[in-house]
Amino acid sequence: MSLINVFTDYVVNKKSLKEYVELRKTLHERGEFNDELLCQAQDNLDRLKEEDREIYNGMYSVLKEIMRRDEGYFVEYPINFTREVLKLYEHGNTPKKVYEEYKRSIEHHGNNA
């Protein structure tokens, strides 16, 4: 299984990105994100799940819808999701703001790929 397929499996199935970091070390392939960013993304997801389960579930619902509509950029969908997750608590962003922006990507051709 290629690294992007493993990454997609971890993101889509809500598996721990910290566990993915450890698995990736055995695959000897470079990914889109470094270990620190993936751990930060998982921390953001854990915090979001704890603080606002509705937005947490909404983020995954948007990802599911983007993947269902598959516009030919399948590799980019979990990467873009992770980029959005990394924005959750940075520079004054609120989860609601990030979620609303991510939700709007459903309507854009290519879903921000």
Side-chain angles (χ1 to χ4, degrees):
M1 187 178 276
S2 73
L3 185 62
I4 191 60
N5 289 336
V6 173
F7 180 66
T8 299
D9 176 57
Y10 271 75
V11 170
V12 171
N13 293 305
K14 302 179 185 179
K15 296 179 182 179
S16 171
L17 292 176
K18 291 179 179 180
E19 291 176 12
Y20 167 76
V21 165
E22 294 306 312
L23 174 66
R24 179 173 72 175
K25 290 176 184 176
T26 68
L27 300 176
H28 306 291
E29 289 184 52
R30 288 183 47 108
E32 180 74 20
F33 302 99
N34 65 36
D35 294 353
E36 183 180 323
L37 285 176
L38 288 169
C39 290
Q40 181 61 52
Q42 186 60 53
D43 289 344
N44 286 0
L45 285 168
D46 292 343
R47 179 178 172 187
L48 183 61
K49 185 177 181 181
E50 178 79 21
E51 294 177 0
D52 196 329
R53 188 168 296 266
E54 185 176 329
I55 290 178
Y56 173 84
N57 290 330
M59 292 287 289
Y60 279 101
S61 292
V62 171
L63 175 60
K64 184 178 179 180
E65 178 61 17
I66 287 170
M67 293 183 80
R68 184 192 69 74
R69 291 182 182 195
D70 189 5
E71 295 182 10
Y73 301 98
F74 191 80
V75 168
E76 295 292 324
Y77 304 146
I79 292 170
N80 289 340
F81 175 83
T82 304
R83 286 182 182 137
E84 294 302 316
V85 167
L86 286 167
K87 293 178 190 176
L88 283 171
Y89 302 102
E90 285 191 345
H91 310 295
N93 282 331
T94 64
K96 183 174 178 71
K97 179 181 175 186
V98 172
Y99 169 64
E100 292 299 328
E101 288 175 10
Y102 185 50
K103 191 166 59 172
R104 281 193 295 272
S105 72
I106 290 174
E107 302 307 320
H108 297 164
H109 178 70
N111 298 308
N112 292 331

